[in-house]
Amino acid sequence: MDVTMDKIIALAKRRGFVFPGSEIYGGMAGTYDYGPYGVELLNNLKQSWWREHVQKRENYFGLDSAIFKDPKVWDASGHTSGFSDPLSECRACNTRIRVDKELGKIGVTADEKMSEEELGALFNEHKAKIKCSKCGKSDFSPVRAFNLLIKTNMGDFTGEGDTVVYLPGEACQGIYLNFKNVVDTTRAKIPFGIAQIGKAFRNEISPRNFLFRTREMEQADTQFFVKPNENKEPYEKIKKERWEWYLRLGLKEENLRWKKHENLVFYASDAWDIEYNFPSYGFDELEGVHDRTDYDLTQHSKYSGIDLSYTDPYTGEKYIPWVLETSVGLGRMFLAFLSDAYTEDEIGGEKRVVLKLSPELAPVKVAVFPLLKNKPELVAKAREVFTALSEHTVCEWDDNGNIGKRYRRQDEIGTPRCVTIDFDTLEDDTVTVRDRDTGAQERVAISTLTSIL
Ligand code: GAP
């Protein structure tokens, strides 16, 4: 089976999972809207993540911090000075390229720590081998570091735009800002974690590959606070837990791999990515798991003037905790699960596309069909079943077209079960339950439906 990104994008559009942002105005690069089934899948991913990382754990606490933050936050975090991508422009057609990515494509590694000058020199050495993806020419402007923070203003009533605030370049900063609040208001004792799902915005030079690199994103983050130097064991545990979470929700293990960061930023102790084998372009970062030492809380202590150190309630020892971070973009996660579930097979001699999503993630859990829509007694009975099931789970009603077509439609959105109400139902209160993956059909009593589903 040849799963391409084009097929995934086509299915996402055709079945109402994802639409291009501002489409009726011609589309806006790097933005997407989640449609009726997309928002269900996205919410299921978030809910599953939240349940696992907050509700099922004693030592993790949830948070939802404000998007707007004091601009000094981004000075403290290093984003105003160092959060940039190296940019160059094709002199022939003005297409902008991300220099590190283009170098990577020809096998040259651009070190994350390189200065603008160093990268410029590396680019000059190799740029003859790089061609513009749009016009094919090889004539580029000098490399420039391009800051990714998106600026706006707030409470600026002068119209002079001198009160710049930044949209968050990463969602996790809200967690550091509230570290002390969480310690003071809960029974949090180190080691403990704070989890958040929040929006982030980046002025990406070249948004690409559908939901993979967008300018607006949501990130699911956990920050686990530990005593200095007591990081190794929990870090390995966290890595294992994140890997297993993906497998439990159905990603195929052969499509996942670990990648170690070779060139760590100066404060980091260790960093790994979980990579996913995305259709058409292969393995790339899905999630980052970072061992960040005391950098974040130290910086915010320094810039805010508030001491963010922690005092051990048993020993009285005082220290700035170290942070172990997991961070994944919901859009990338969505794309990975959608791609992994995408299957083309044949059932009863007919070709079909089916999304083999785990039932926990499927946007619709069960579809209910009256065999014929012009038989009021069938429709009334099917409505009864639909209403009863809707109390327990997410149901969809469909009375359009023949049953085969209705099955195909539900297969494409990943509905695990379809229930058909026919003339026998009126006699014996049984219905046909059809399984998405095998196509097998079973006759069951209506009274047992909820427990079976
Ligand atoms: N707080 C850490 C942080 O933001 P990151 O590696 O820059 O680290 C974390 O981002 C995750 O966010 C990535 O692994 C990826 O899943 C997602 N992500 C980053 N940039 C993205 C973009 N432009 N579009 C979609 N997802 C993105």
Side-chain angles (χ1 to χ4, degrees):
M1 184 178 59
D2 187 16
V3 183
T4 61
M5 189 57 82
D6 285 347
K7 286 184 183 177
I8 301 297
I9 296 171
L11 174 79
K13 179 82 203 290
R14 180 169 80 245
R15 288 301 183 200
F17 280 91
V18 182
F19 307 126
S22 309
E23 193 181 13
I24 61 169
Y25 287 93
M28 192 177 180
T31 66
Y32 290 93
D33 298 333
Y34 290 87
Y37 296 118
V39 67
E40 294 291 339
L41 173 53
L42 187 68
N43 283 343
N44 292 341
L45 281 167
K46 289 192 216 176
Q47 209 168 30
S48 170
W49 186 93
W50 191 259
R51 180 105 191 88
E52 185 66 35
H53 294 91
V54 182
Q55 294 171 339
K56 280 164 81 176
R57 294 183 182 188
E58 269 178 53
N59 58 343
Y60 273 78
F61 301 85
L63 186 78
D64 188 356
S65 63
I67 283 192
F68 292 120
K69 294 176 172 69
D70 190 305
K72 287 199 285 293
V73 168
W74 304 107
D75 294 334
S77 66
H79 282 76
T80 45
S81 56
F83 188 50
S84 57
D85 277 341
L87 165 100
S88 172
E89 210 167 287
C90 169
R91 286 198 173 105
C93 71
N94 299 329
T95 296
R96 288 173 170 183
I97 61 161
R98 233 185 97 170
V99 169
D100 54 335
K101 295 287 170 203
E102 293 302 320
L103 284 169
K105 284 184 201 160
I106 57 164
V108 177
T109 308
D111 190 325
E112 278 174 40
K113 288 179 287 190
M114 274 181 173
S115 66
E116 198 178 67
E117 291 71 33
E118 286 167 326
L119 250 174
L122 191 69
F123 185 56
N124 285 343
E125 192 183 329
H126 296 281
K127 70 182 181 189
K129 284 177 257 162
I130 296 173
K131 303 236 176 305
C132 171
S133 60
K134 194 163 169 206
C135 71
K137 298 236 167 62
S138 190
D139 182 13
F140 296 102
S141 67
V143 176
R144 186 162 60 88
F146 180 78
N147 193 285
L148 301 184
L149 283 180
I150 296 180
K151 285 182 200 163
T152 181
N153 59 48
M154 195 180 177
D156 173 16
F157 307 112
T158 64
E160 285 160 17
D162 56 356
T163 47
V164 166
V165 291
Y166 301 96
L167 297 182
E170 58 178 8
C172 66
Q173 292 299 325
I175 296 183
Y176 309 134
L177 304 189
N178 285 287
F179 168 76
K180 199 169 146 34
N181 282 335
V182 173
V183 171
D184 290 348
T185 56
T186 65
R187 294 181 176 177
K189 290 191 186 48
I190 280 187
F192 75 91
I194 302 180
Q196 175 179 244
I197 296 176
K199 287 263 186 183
F201 305 83
R202 297 183 184 178
N203 225 340
E204 293 286 353
I205 294 167
S206 52
R208 65 186 171 96
N209 293 333
F210 193 33
L211 301 172
F212 182 81
R213 192 174 299 289
T214 51
R215 288 185 171 139
E216 173 181 341
M217 75 193 94
E218 241 176 332
Q219 290 177 317
D221 293 325
T222 62
Q223 309 286 326
F224 194 64
F225 299 94
V226 298
K227 199 172 163 184
N229 294 306
E230 293 192 357
N231 50 330
K232 294 287 177 231
E233 207 181 301
Y235 184 63
E236 290 312 316
K237 183 167 175 272
I238 287 169
K239 279 174 63 190
K240 187 164 175 281
E241 285 167 354
R242 290 305 302 140
W243 182 266
E244 284 171 359
W245 185 81
Y246 286 114
L247 297 186
R248 189 177 69 69
L249 279 186
L251 287 192
K252 299 179 191 82
E253 196 159 15
E254 69 263 26
N255 284 333
L256 290 172
R257 73 179 186 197
W258 282 106
K259 185 178 173 215
K260 187 175 169 57
H261 287 219
E262 293 304 338
N263 300 299
L264 294 173
V265 283
F266 69 92
Y267 53 80
S269 157
D270 204 356
W272 289 78
D273 291 337
I274 296 179
E275 292 194 329
Y276 179 76
N277 189 12
F278 290 96
S280 298
Y281 62 96
F283 280 97
D284 210 332
E285 178 180 344
L286 170 63
E287 164 160 352
V289 185
H290 309 131
D291 185 340
R292 300 174 58 88
T293 69
D294 64 357
Y295 177 75
D296 306 287
L297 293 181
T298 303
Q299 287 294 99
H300 287 300
S301 292
K302 205 160 101 189
Y303 279 74
S304 67
I306 302 291
D307 180 10
L308 296 180
S309 55
Y310 170 85
T311 305
D312 188 303
Y314 305 111
T315 64
E317 202 182 341
K318 196 174 167 188
Y319 54 81
I320 295 270
W322 285 19
V323 167
L324 306 174
E325 168 185 75
T326 70
S327 183
V328 56
L330 262 304
R332 271 189 207 182
M333 195 146 94
F334 184 104
L335 180 57
F337 277 98
L338 195 65
S339 311
D340 220 74
Y342 183 97
T343 311
E344 290 169 355
D345 65 10
E346 227 180 88
I347 210 162
E350 211 187 315
K351 285 202 165 81
R352 66 167 183 169
V353 168
V354 52
L355 276 190
K356 294 193 174 178
L357 284 169
S358 125
E360 187 176 336
L361 297 181
V364 175
K365 311 299 180 195
V366 55
V368 177
F369 311 152
L371 182 65
L372 299 168
K373 74 169 168 187
N374 57 359
K375 295 285 174 207
E377 63 277 32
L378 282 184
V379 173
K381 191 72 189 171
R383 280 275 171 219
E384 237 177 68
V385 173
F386 177 80
T387 307
L389 287 178
S390 295
E391 288 296 322
H392 300 276
T393 190
V394 183
C395 298
E396 186 165 281
W397 173 267
D398 191 0
D399 57 12
N400 269 309
N402 67 44
I403 291 286
K405 271 203 184 129
R406 291 186 233 172
Y407 283 154
R408 287 302 86 76
R409 191 169 174 281
Q410 295 301 327
D411 287 345
E412 288 205 354
I413 62 167
T415 307
R417 301 275 193 281
C418 295
V419 170
T420 304
I421 287 79
D422 57 21
F423 289 105
D424 287 343
T425 313
L426 303 177
E427 302 295 319
D428 61 7
D429 252 13
T430 63
V431 290
T432 303
V433 177
R434 185 252 192 190
D435 179 84
R436 174 194 71 194
D437 296 345
T438 60
Q441 299 188 11
E442 201 189 342
R443 200 78 201 168
V444 307
I446 291 177
S447 56
T448 61
L449 256 187
T450 339
S451 57
I452 289 170
L453 294 171

